[in-house]
Amino acid sequence: MTEYLVIDRLDDLIDASRRLGEGQGPVAVDVERASGFRYSQRAYLIQVFRRGAGVFLFDPPPIGDFSSLQAAIGDTEWVLHAASQDLPSLRELGLEPASMFDTELAARLLGHDRVGLGAVVEDTLGITLAKAHSASDWSTRPLPQSWLEYAALDVEHLVDVRDVLMSELEQQGKTSFADEEFRAVLEREPKPPRDEPWRRLSGLHTVRGRKALAVARSLWTAREDYARNEDVAPGRLVPDRALVAAVLADPKSKQELAGVKEFTGRASRSQLDRWWAAIEDGRASKDLPLERATGGDSLPPPRAWPDRNPEADARLKAARPAVEQLAEALRMPTENLLTPELLRRVAWAPPEPLTAASLGEALSSLGAREWQIAQTAQVIVDAFVGSVQEPTKAAETAS
């Protein structure tokens, strides 16, 4: 069995970077975080493989400075799986590819039934990867050898997978689709922070009244601040359901709060003063939240469209199966051809005059890629026009 070593010194990183720079072809990169255990999404292990150089495992916290690795491989194509998950953690360390190949996204565009890393490796190379440690706490030190082997295998086969998928993309005439998708992932701006992130509390729908919601908001904020300071996942301190239980119990004292049996979690009693202070702050708040979150620029749910905008409802009902049929012909999931959100938006308020060009401009302004527009714009326009003609024919027949 191969013994894997973790590089945790800057001098060793510099030497490894030199060796990777001397390798050949694309560079496979993967990141292990401690999601569900830590508050941050920082990288706790980075795996890098390149033909002619081998596999290297890096421990980011003690190394700190990854500029030598970026200099060595930054201009080389990186191969990642589900890149959008790993890029933020890599960017925190100053690691950024100039170009990349996303094996998960490529598998989606190709219509693979399974797109998890293990499934894609198995489908393309016939190699089975154990996924026993995918949900492990990667902030653990020292990392067990079995974990390191798992981590190394995540990148050791990735370049071979890339080559197989690239061949499939060429066979299906989808290389330009993939190139646009990969570039879009690299250039995508981070989502802005939610206006009221506390409303994501699981079970919040059971809380009634603006004053009670203010208490829920205060408890969520107190937990968030403590979790950030301790770098612990908030739910491991006090689960959502426990915070909501505390709100619903409406305790009259700190002792009553301690007596709420549903108020659980490893920090529920050790930080009782913190939670009670949050409850008092919430009750004293003059800035009471609304019963429901403001919708922003979101559309009404489609079930409300027949009453709110019957013409849009007819357009959506005509276009949705047309796009689904096109996706099936292209052998890819509908959401990769065009997201349901974009279709809903142009159905709700299509451009005037309605042409493939004007609809394409509308889709582009919403973030659709050129290949998506080229494939779908005329199909959607035809469906929209047909949705108007059908009721007209029905009315003429009735008269």
Side-chain angles (χ1 to χ4, degrees):
M1 176 179 173
T2 303
E3 182 176 358
Y4 293 94
L5 301 177
V6 178
I7 294 172
D8 58 5
R9 296 174 63 250
L10 183 58
D11 289 346
D12 294 333
L13 169 75
I14 293 172
D15 179 62
S17 299
R18 176 187 56 78
R19 293 164 63 185
L20 284 164
E22 294 171 351
Q24 301 89 42
V27 178
V29 181
D30 192 29
V31 173
E32 303 296 348
R33 293 173 294 276
S35 303
F37 296 91
R38 298 289 183 175
Y39 181 86
S40 69
Q41 289 300 304
R42 71 188 300 183
Y44 281 97
L45 191 73
I46 295 176
Q47 310 98 280
V48 182
F49 168 81
R50 194 177 193 187
R51 289 169 179 160
V55 176
F56 296 87
L57 306 179
F58 301 106
D59 188 357
I63 293 174
D65 180 6
F66 277 83
S67 57
S68 61
L69 181 59
Q70 175 66 21
I73 66 172
D75 293 334
T76 303
E77 180 189 272
W78 293 16
V79 185
L80 302 102
H81 190 83
S84 59
Q85 298 179 23
D86 290 344
L87 285 172
S89 301
L90 291 166
R91 285 169 174 154
E92 282 186 7
L93 299 167
L95 295 171
E96 176 110 31
S99 64
M100 67 139 194
F101 187 102
D102 187 330
T103 52
E104 190 248 12
L105 189 46
R108 288 184 180 278
L109 294 174
L110 289 165
H112 284 217
D113 293 332
R114 306 181 301 164
V115 296
L117 177 58
V120 173
V121 171
E122 184 175 353
D123 291 344
T124 54
L125 304 179
I127 297 172
T128 302
L129 298 181
K131 300 301 291 182
H133 306 296
S134 58
S136 297
D137 180 3
W138 288 90
S139 65
T140 300
R141 292 297 182 273
L143 288 166
Q145 272 296 312
S146 60
W147 295 21
L148 298 179
E149 180 183 15
Y150 155 84
L153 290 173
D154 271 1
V155 290
E156 199 167 320
H157 302 294
L158 211 51
V159 176
D160 292 337
V161 170
R162 177 252 184 223
D163 290 347
V164 174
L165 294 177
M166 177 60 82
S167 177
E168 290 185 32
L169 288 168
E170 291 170 352
Q171 292 169 11
Q172 293 190 25
K174 295 177 179 176
T175 53
S176 61
F177 299 1
D179 288 343
E180 286 190 49
E181 290 299 297
F182 299 160
R183 177 54 52 186
V185 171
L186 282 178
E187 295 177 351
R188 186 174 299 148
E189 294 291 331
K191 289 183 179 180
R194 293 172 64 96
D195 290 336
E196 295 180 302
W198 60 273
R199 288 191 185 270
R200 298 183 67 183
L201 264 174
S202 178
L204 188 67
H205 64 282
T206 62
V207 176
R208 297 286 183 268
R210 297 176 67 184
K211 290 184 177 180
L213 287 172
V215 173
R217 178 181 61 190
S218 184
L219 278 169
W220 181 91
T221 301
R223 185 185 65 173
E224 196 76 2
D225 292 343
Y226 185 49
R228 186 184 302 108
N229 291 337
E230 298 294 313
D231 193 18
V232 176
R236 297 183 72 82
L237 296 171
V238 180
D240 283 10
R241 64 180 182 278
L243 291 186
V244 171
V247 176
L248 297 176
D250 192 24
K252 301 302 184 289
S253 66
K254 183 168 60 176
Q255 289 70 30
E256 279 194 25
L257 175 61
V260 177
K261 65 179 181 179
E262 296 87 358
F263 186 58
T264 58
R266 73 191 212 191
S268 60
R269 301 303 184 274
S270 63
Q271 295 294 316
L272 195 62
D273 288 344
R274 182 185 303 273
W275 313 129
W276 179 247
I279 289 175
E280 291 188 313
D281 287 346
R283 288 171 174 168
S285 176
K286 303 298 183 185
D287 177 25
L288 298 180
L290 298 176
E291 286 276 4
R292 294 182 179 276
T294 54
D297 64 349
S298 62
L299 297 175
R303 64 178 179 274
W305 287 28
D307 295 327
R308 298 278 296 276
N309 191 339
E311 293 83 6
D313 181 59
R315 286 191 292 266
L316 182 61
K317 287 176 177 174
R320 185 186 288 150
V323 173
E324 290 173 351
Q325 185 175 3
L326 177 59
E328 185 176 350
L330 289 169
R331 296 169 58 189
M332 68 175 65
T334 303
E335 61 269 20
N336 286 104
L337 175 59
L338 192 71
T339 65
E341 173 70 9
L342 295 194
L343 183 58
R344 284 194 293 267
R345 286 190 175 278
V346 293
W348 183 263
E352 294 182 2
L354 179 61
T355 65
S358 65
L359 189 83
E361 291 177 5
L363 288 171
S364 180
S365 70
L366 293 169
R369 266 71 73 193
E370 288 302 316
W371 76 268
Q372 295 175 316
I373 294 168
Q375 294 292 326
T376 64
Q378 189 62 59
V379 170
I380 294 171
V381 168
D382 292 344
F384 284 0
V385 173
S387 73
V388 175
Q389 293 174 345
E390 286 301 321
T392 302
K393 291 179 181 177
E396 291 174 352
T397 302
S399 62

